[in-house]
Amino acid sequence: MNYPEQILPHLRKKLIKSDLSDFYLIHHVELNEGETMRDEVTNFIKTKNICDPTSRIEDLSTSLLGIFKCDYIKIKFTQGSLHFYDYCSPDEQVNVPIYEEDFYLVVNRKFWVIKIDKLHQKQFSYFVNNQPQVATCIIKHTPAKWNYWHFSLRWETSEGQLADLPINQRSSLAKKIGTFARAVIAQFCDDKLLDYSIISEENYLKEAN
């Protein structure tokens, strides 16, 4: 298959800084055989499907749904082409990935979607030494070489941004924040595509047509 070039960075693209409250993020999920997305008791998405406990909750990867289509979550890069996952500037020029050389498709991937206003600037509670603390979720546009539409979930804490903390401190806080964050996200996300908007060109092109 041809790589969807519309999701690559491009000379005309810029960082997205507009209000995205009414838009949706999508995150892929890989289930083992026989596993299901939802909890049979609560009917919420299982918290382990929000992100695996070993995943980097401090910089959780999602994509802005719209020009980035649901089918694109199936894209996975080969060991020799992992550099495509690197962050980059929105206007970086990259080579178009080649099917079966640079990437392949994981056809059985599932997904969840969530409206951005359910997360951005929302506060999540957690505890340190039995003392209540608060982390604020920040949704940030973080273009990657494979995907201009890549967005990260980041976390502001009283100690600073979680992703920027020393590794030992970050690991401890990430586990605490992740426990609460996964539970809250599970309540608001869905594993079915909802009606979603497509961002207008003036919000992502340096000079819209």
Side-chain angles (χ1 to χ4, degrees):
M1 64 166 283
N2 293 329
Y3 196 85
E5 294 187 38
Q6 64 270 29
I7 73 171
L8 293 173
H10 189 276
L11 286 172
R12 294 183 61 208
K13 291 179 178 175
K14 62 183 180 181
L15 277 178
I16 298 172
K17 299 180 179 180
S18 53
D19 180 14
L20 298 175
S21 299
D22 290 330
F23 293 83
Y24 284 83
L25 298 175
I26 186 169
H27 176 83
H28 80 262
V29 178
E30 295 193 24
L31 299 179
N32 294 322
E33 187 175 352
E35 288 185 328
T36 58
M37 282 288 288
R38 292 181 177 269
D39 186 282
E40 294 179 359
V41 176
T42 66
N43 201 37
F44 291 145
I45 304 296
K46 293 178 181 176
T47 54
K48 75 181 190 67
N49 293 333
I50 301 304
C51 72
D52 186 278
T54 62
S55 297
R56 297 179 62 228
I57 186 69
E58 67 268 25
D59 186 16
L60 185 60
S61 293
T62 65
S63 297
L64 183 68
L65 192 60
I67 294 174
F68 185 99
K69 305 297 185 187
C70 179
D71 279 349
Y72 302 159
I73 65 166
K74 299 173 184 177
I75 294 171
K76 189 169 185 175
F77 285 87
T78 62
Q79 283 297 118
S81 297
L82 296 181
H83 62 277
F84 279 104
Y85 289 128
D86 293 345
Y87 290 156
C88 67
S89 63
D91 56 0
E92 183 161 334
Q93 289 184 284
V94 298
N95 295 324
V96 178
I98 299 171
Y99 182 52
E100 293 185 337
E101 179 178 325
D102 295 313
F103 74 99
Y104 57 100
L105 300 181
V106 183
V107 296
N108 62 343
R109 275 183 173 173
K110 306 297 183 182
F111 65 87
W112 53 258
V113 295
I114 191 166
K115 197 176 180 186
I116 287 176
D117 69 359
K118 297 295 185 183
L119 291 178
H120 185 54
Q121 298 288 358
K122 301 300 182 183
Q123 293 185 329
F124 292 74
S125 299
Y126 64 101
F127 291 86
V128 176
N129 297 324
N130 294 321
Q131 297 299 312
Q133 305 288 331
V134 171
T136 303
C137 181
I138 305 296
I139 293 174
K140 182 178 181 182
H141 185 203
T142 50
K145 291 180 180 179
W146 80 280
N147 178 19
Y148 165 81
W149 303 102
H150 184 273
F151 278 71
S152 296
L153 270 60
R154 303 280 179 88
W155 309 90
E156 292 286 351
T157 75
S158 59
E159 305 297 325
Q161 190 166 114
L162 182 60
D164 297 333
L165 297 179
I167 183 64
N168 290 341
Q169 186 181 10
R170 182 170 73 234
S171 297
S172 175
L173 282 183
K175 186 174 182 179
K176 292 179 173 68
I177 292 171
T179 297
F180 290 93
R182 285 194 297 270
V184 173
I185 293 170
Q187 296 179 45
F188 293 111
C189 67
D190 206 319
D191 58 349
K192 301 179 182 63
L193 280 184
L194 309 172
D195 290 336
Y196 60 88
S197 302
I198 296 178
I199 193 170
S200 56
E201 288 187 349
E202 62 265 23
N203 291 312
Y204 67 91
L205 294 183
K206 295 176 181 178
E207 296 179 3
N209 290 328

